[in-house]
Amino acid sequence: MKISARALVVTLALGSIIGAVDVSLAQDSQPATPAKPKADPGKYPSGKVDAESVKVEHKALQAGEARVEVGTLDLEMEIVLPGQPAMTQAMTKNFERTLTLREVDGEGKAVQLGVEFTKQSEVMEGTDPSGAVQRQERGKELAGKAFSVERQEDGTVVYSDAKGAPVEDFAAKRELEQSGRSVFGELGLGPAVAKAELKPGQSVDIDPKNMKVLMEMPGDDGMEVSIQEFSFRGTRATPSGKAAVFKVICKLEPSAEAPQGGPRTRMEIGGEILISVDGARVVGIELAGTLEFMPPPAGAGGPSFEGKGVLRVSRTTTIKLP
């Protein structure tokens, strides 16, 4: 009734793509009914817009600015190890967190960030090669807790709890890394779309590195992003005011610098990104796509499996200015 550790090395392939979400199941998890798929593999999210031209105004970060983020991630995979029946893995993650900029340097870059978790949960279910179903739920212990994330002069980041003690818990540190990555990173989407008036159907030149930051991917993850489309559709009202709506389609594949051992991942994802007209902050993400797991190159060594999966990511951000 246990899932072999070797069968769950899928985290090596997925960790960098979805913020180091660990879809492995604990050895002592209890049998349960499998979750129904929630990801939509064949449709990119797309909502109604007002087809009007707009000029986005970019504003520098300022101390006291807060972001209330509410999001979900639904992921379902089918994994096949050599000589074994297919296994399924499903995960649903829900969160609500408030990020408050406590300190900004003279260049407008975030230095210190407060993070408070209002809600946090991950439910993971899957089968082992025998078909037995297992379930694990975690993350709720973070709800109601507050932390501090601070960027040092040398670029390193320090994570502290409400009492100022270093964060040692792996799950908490992982979530804090995700929370701070896009804030501390060089997120250039805002300045890129704020250069001139946007007209419906207009394409915008976006640096793929900024898409990696937006998706909370570390820069050295061995994945290469290619943007197939990033175009302005129109505007939509949001809790943070009027937002410019962009259609985005991109692919992620192993780069030439990617580690050769272990499985490799390919992903196609698309949908919408909303950027506030006043301030140029990312206030909405609705993406869906497919995953493919490929065995390592011949002679590369490391664990080997094949598989496929679907995922859907949704995040709404409400900006609160001081």
Side-chain angles (χ1 to χ4, degrees), residues 4-62:
S4 110
R6 180 172 178 268
L8 295 169
V9 290
V10 65
T11 53
L12 298 175
L14 277 179
S16 61
I17 295 178
I18 52 179
V21 171
D22 184 356
V23 294
S24 63
L25 301 180
Q27 295 284 341
D28 59 351
S29 54
Q30 300 299 315
T33 303
K36 294 182 179 180
K38 293 184 179 181
D40 185 347
K43 180 181 178 182
Y44 293 144
S46 178
K48 294 182 179 180
V49 298
D50 293 326
E52 62 176 348
S53 299
V54 74
K55 176 68 170 67
V56 175
E57 181 182 359
H58 179 257
K59 294 181 179 179
L61 297 176
Q62 53 185 314

Side-chain angles (χ1 to χ4, degrees), residues 203-222:
S203 295
V204 180
D205 187 19
I206 298 296
D207 188 334
K209 293 180 180 179
N210 292 320
M211 286 300 299
K212 294 184 72 172
V213 175
L214 181 66
M215 298 174 70
E216 299 180 351
M217 297 167 59
D220 57 352
D221 57 13

